Amino acid sequence: MRAAFSRELVRLGQTDTNMLLLTGDHGYALFDDFRKECPAQYINAGIAEQNMVGMAAGLARAGFRPVVYGLSAFVPVRVLEQIKLDVAHDNLPVIFVGDGAGFVYSHLGTSHQSTEDIACSRSIPNLSVYSPADRFELAVCMEAAYRSQSAVYLRMGKCDLGDVHVAAPPASVGGMLEVKCGTAGDVTFIATGSLVSTAIAIADDGYSNASVWSAPFIKPIDEKQVTSICERSQVVVVLEEHSVLGGLGSVIAEIASEFAPVRILRIGVRDRFSHHCGSYEYLRKEHGLDRLAIAERIRYFLAGL
């Protein structure tokens, strides 16, 4: 997915010389191709993320299309006030890219883990939130972000988990994508980012008739589509490498409660910090987001109905 991101940056930069890439002293190897192909469009703002957002706002006012890159623990979390007041308040078309969302930077501790970024960003007016699951969704999200007339936060999680699509999916902004076709019935899975592949694996193992939907667009999201999915399901299981408070599970529950009440199991990070540092796989296991723990949680939930 990071390679796809690099390719999209180069493509957009070559297409539009007003597209500028700003980084907070991160991503050197990632931007090698962009710096080679579009050297005059690259700005290293240094470890000063708040200033970088203010710079991007000024550039957007001057007619440029800034892409602001950082680790998701810093962009958007550290710079939330600047995003809100400098960019979103005046509806400026700035693309914010938060890399390493969730537990990707697990060994660096709580300061670099980002499990609250969706909740923080989706409550800000004029700020869309995208969360691609693979390189195909990343390309769709980058194109949608570039065409947007307002601010977008694009969240990149674990990037080496493989594809969930076999080709570029037909997608519209706000729409979810069916990655495993099933029949209307008991259980439907909705997932985003790194947990889409896990949802597919769990459905293949024990829920052969279940549909699995990927949600690359958290905000906006097609409420009619969500309503239709909930109406056809007895239980909806939502998976995300993010807090259960304010993330995709909350989005689905909010829509369902108003238009199509259904039992919803929200699987994500509970209301706590990580207890220890370790590998990405260790952190997923500590928080009960590994495949076996998720499957057991679903079985327990369904048994209690």
Side-chain angles (χ1 to χ4, degrees), residues 77-139:
V77 177
R78 174 176 288 175
V79 297
L80 199 65
E81 179 185 2
Q82 285 73 31
I83 291 175
K84 172 185 173 182
L85 297 180
D86 294 353
V87 176
H89 181 272
D90 292 336
N91 204 21
L92 299 176
V94 178
I95 301 171
F96 298 97
V97 178
D99 198 358
F103 296 123
V104 173
Y105 292 102
S106 55
H107 58 288
L108 296 179
T110 297
S111 64
H112 284 62
Q113 295 164 18
S114 182
T115 60
E116 61 286 305
D117 52 311
I118 294 174
C120 291
S121 56
R122 80 177 186 92
S123 60
I124 296 178
N126 300 327
L127 180 63
S128 299
V129 181
Y130 300 168
S131 175
D134 67 3
R135 58 188 170 123
F136 297 112
E137 290 189 2
L138 185 282

Side-chain angles (χ1 to χ4, degrees), residues 55-271:
M55 183 188 304
L59 290 168
R61 287 184 182 279
F64 292 97
R65 291 303 311 273
V67 176
V68 177
Y69 173 90
L71 305 189
S72 65
F74 309 138
V75 177
V77 177
R78 174 176 288 175
V79 297
L80 199 65
E81 179 185 2
Q82 285 73 31
I83 291 175
K84 172 185 173 182
L85 297 180
D86 294 353
V87 176
H89 181 272
D90 292 336
N91 204 21
L92 299 176
V94 178
I95 301 171
F96 298 97
V97 178
D99 198 358
F103 296 123
V104 173
Y105 292 102
S106 55
H107 58 288
L108 296 179
T110 297
S111 64
H112 284 62
Q113 295 164 18
S114 182
T115 60
E116 61 286 305
D117 52 311
I118 294 174
C120 291
S121 56
R122 80 177 186 92
S123 60
I124 296 178
N126 300 327
L127 180 63
S128 299
V129 181
Y130 300 168
S131 175
D134 67 3
R135 58 188 170 123
F136 297 112
E137 290 189 2
L138 185 282
V140 168
C141 287
M142 281 294 291
E143 180 65 22
Y146 175 73
R147 294 185 178 279
S148 175
Q149 297 303 306
S150 57
V152 173
Y153 167 53
L154 191 152
R155 177 187 213 253
M156 287 202 299
K158 187 68 169 169
C159 294
D160 57 356
L161 298 178
D163 294 330
V164 299
H165 302 278
V166 296
S172 58
V173 175
M176 296 192 297
L177 302 168
E178 192 171 24
V179 292
K180 179 181 182 299
C181 296
T183 57
D186 295 336
V187 181
T188 298
F189 294 85
I190 300 175
T192 192
S194 61
L195 285 187
V196 175
S197 57
T198 301
I200 295 171
I202 291 173
D204 286 342
D205 280 348
Y207 306 91
S208 58
N209 293 326
S211 296
V212 180
W213 294 83
S214 176
F217 302 104
I218 308 294
K219 177 191 175 186
I221 195 167
D222 188 336
E223 292 190 352
K224 290 184 178 179
Q225 184 185 34
V226 173
T227 299
S228 176
I229 292 170
C230 291
E231 287 176 339
R232 303 195 307 267
S233 308
Q234 296 296 317
V235 173
V236 175
V237 179
V238 184
L239 299 88
E240 57 190 320
E241 194 175 317
H242 181 274
S243 172
V244 294
L245 306 176
L248 176 62
S250 295
V251 174
I252 302 302
E254 289 160 10
I255 296 170
S257 67
E258 188 170 355
F259 299 109
V262 65
R263 294 297 297 270
I264 296 175
L265 173 59
R266 295 173 299 144
I267 294 179
V269 180
R270 308 308 294 179
D271 187 23

